[in-house]
Amino acid sequence: MLINISGRTDIVNHYSDWMFKRFEEGYVFSRNSLFPNSVRRYELTPDKVDCVIFGSKNFAPVLERIHEITEKFHTYFYYTITAYGKDVEPGVPDIDTSMETFLKLSQIVGRQRMAWRYDPILLTKKYTIETHFKTFERISECLAGQFDRCIFSFVEMYKKHEVNFPELIPLTETEKDVLAGGIGKIAAKYGFILQTCGPEENYAKYGIDTSGCVTLDILGQANNLKFRELKHKGFRKGCHCMESRDMGAPNSCPNGCKYCYANKNAELPRENFKLHDPDSPLLLGHLKETDRLEPGLQKSFLAKE
């Protein structure tokens, strides 16, 4: 089983004390977002977890303690650094600070376990195609040789963006092709693997891979593990990632990114954050009398020796 920390919220940036306590106590509760009274318990022990997958826009809060997890578990880290400032990502450090933290984390966990995410790529009057090219090259030059691969995607247009992010300009297929070609050329210049995330077009002509960003091949190569041949079900149409269990909860990320898919609006995370108890097995709140607590399925993907 793979544990995801986290596609629903930036646990590392805002809930790291809770995260470390869950690993200390060896279990976590996860509430089903579709059936709120259904809660699963997952054992956070090396014999039950094949790999711990981290995703964050700021790993600074865990640099001094991450060894507590990496010394016991196989791991892989997805670090998102984009071109945007506080006007789009208000709860995220600036680019220079993020790059500095990225390099520190790479030294601690090893470059083979690090992926740089440059996503989502979006356009506004301020964040133009040229801005993306300049920023992508700036980050590439700084981080080259310190990560396994770079993953990008184009912003998905949701109805809520009309309210949450009205300055967002819909990308045309031509603009996507120009952007892919430009960053593909930069990736080739600095010699790193560049690939898409999710249901993007095939940009192989620009040297861009289209495999999933969380695959058993990637995790296995990074940790010297051999997995069974399994189908990667993905999380949505066109996704080639391996299934995982998420420790997070929707509408709980205080990063406040305007393009966020997991938060319904900016107010909900602020309200839900008040429900957080670092001592609770649940990220938000506590187990209720009406909840149905059951053990989560934790089947290993590892090949038998």
Side-chain angles (χ1 to χ4, degrees):
M1 184 197 75
L2 309 178
I3 281 286
N4 191 331
I5 310 174
S6 160
R8 294 174 177 174
T9 185
D10 197 333
I11 288 176
V12 170
N13 194 12
H14 300 285
Y15 302 97
S16 61
D17 288 342
W18 174 83
M19 178 190 75
F20 283 115
K21 182 148 191 177
R22 297 313 342 123
F23 277 93
E24 287 173 4
E25 298 192 351
Y27 72 97
V28 67
F29 292 170
S30 179
R31 189 177 297 279
N32 191 310
S33 57
L34 297 178
F35 305 98
N37 289 331
S38 176
V39 179
R40 294 288 185 270
R41 172 178 169 136
Y42 295 106
E43 307 304 319
L44 299 180
T45 54
D47 62 314
K48 294 291 186 180
V49 177
D50 296 331
C51 189
V52 182
I53 304 163
F54 294 89
S56 178
K57 295 177 180 177
N58 181 22
F59 280 89
V62 304
L63 288 179
E64 293 185 2
R65 297 188 62 188
I66 196 63
H67 67 91
E68 296 175 20
I69 297 175
T70 59
E71 289 173 358
K72 297 178 181 178
F73 293 85
H74 301 295
T75 54
Y76 198 86
F77 298 79
Y78 295 85
Y79 202 138
T80 301
I81 306 179
T82 66
Y84 317 120
K86 298 291 184 181
D87 55 328
V88 176
E89 298 175 338
V92 179
D94 61 72
I95 295 174
D96 288 330
T97 302
S98 294
M99 291 192 296
E100 182 180 351
T101 303
F102 187 107
L103 294 174
K104 289 179 180 178
L105 181 64
S106 180
Q107 290 296 312
I108 295 170
V109 306
R111 62 169 300 279
Q112 76 278 9
R113 296 186 180 91
M114 295 283 295
W116 164 33
R117 294 193 69 108
Y118 188 82
D119 71 326
I121 296 177
L122 57 86
L123 295 181
T124 67
K125 289 182 179 180
K126 177 179 179 179
Y127 299 104
T128 63
I129 291 176
E130 188 59 32
T131 298
H132 280 293
F133 289 161
K134 288 181 179 179
T135 309
F136 190 81
E137 174 139 26
R138 174 188 169 196
I139 300 172
S140 297
E141 183 178 16
C142 177
L143 303 184
Q146 298 301 316
F147 59 93
D148 175 41
R149 66 194 59 232
C150 177
I151 300 159
F152 77 96
S153 69
F154 295 114
V155 69
E156 293 188 38
M157 301 299 294
Y158 289 97
K159 190 72 175 177
K160 62 184 178 181
H161 286 150
E162 295 178 6
V163 176
N164 299 344
F165 201 177
E167 59 267 47
L168 190 62
I169 300 173
L171 279 158
T172 66
E173 293 305 312
T174 298
E175 288 169 331
K176 289 181 180 179
D177 193 72
V178 170
L179 281 159
I183 64 174
K185 184 177 180 180
I186 294 169
K189 175 181 177 180
Y190 290 95
F192 58 81
I193 297 170
L194 179 64
Q195 65 175 79
T196 58
C197 168
E200 309 294 356
E201 295 295 326
N202 189 328
Y203 297 114
K205 61 183 177 181
Y206 302 125
I208 298 172
D209 195 355
T210 55
S211 64
C213 46
V214 183
T215 68
L216 296 182
D217 282 343
I218 292 173
L219 303 181
Q221 291 172 15
N223 292 280
N224 196 26
L225 294 173
K226 186 174 182 181
F227 290 101
R228 290 181 286 126
E229 293 289 335
L230 296 170
K231 183 178 180 181
H232 290 57
K233 297 180 181 180
F235 298 99
R236 61 191 185 279
K237 184 178 179 181
C239 178
H240 305 293
C241 294
M242 194 63 194
E243 64 180 287
S244 60
R245 299 292 180 262
D246 200 311
M247 285 175 58
N251 298 305
S252 62
C253 185
N255 279 344
C257 303
K258 284 190 174 182
Y259 52 77
C260 182
Y261 310 142
N263 289 340
K264 187 176 181 181
N265 56 52
E267 185 60 30
L268 267 176
R270 288 193 285 267
E271 291 300 313
N272 285 335
F273 190 79
K274 299 175 184 177
L275 302 175
H276 176 65
D277 178 356
D279 294 325
S280 172
L282 283 164
L283 182 69
L284 298 179
H286 299 81
L287 206 62
K288 305 173 184 176
E289 291 185 3
T290 55
D291 287 336
R292 185 175 70 255
L293 178 63
E294 297 177 331
L297 180 64
Q298 295 187 253
K299 189 174 182 180
S300 177
F301 300 146
L302 293 173
K304 294 183 178 179
E305 296 182 358

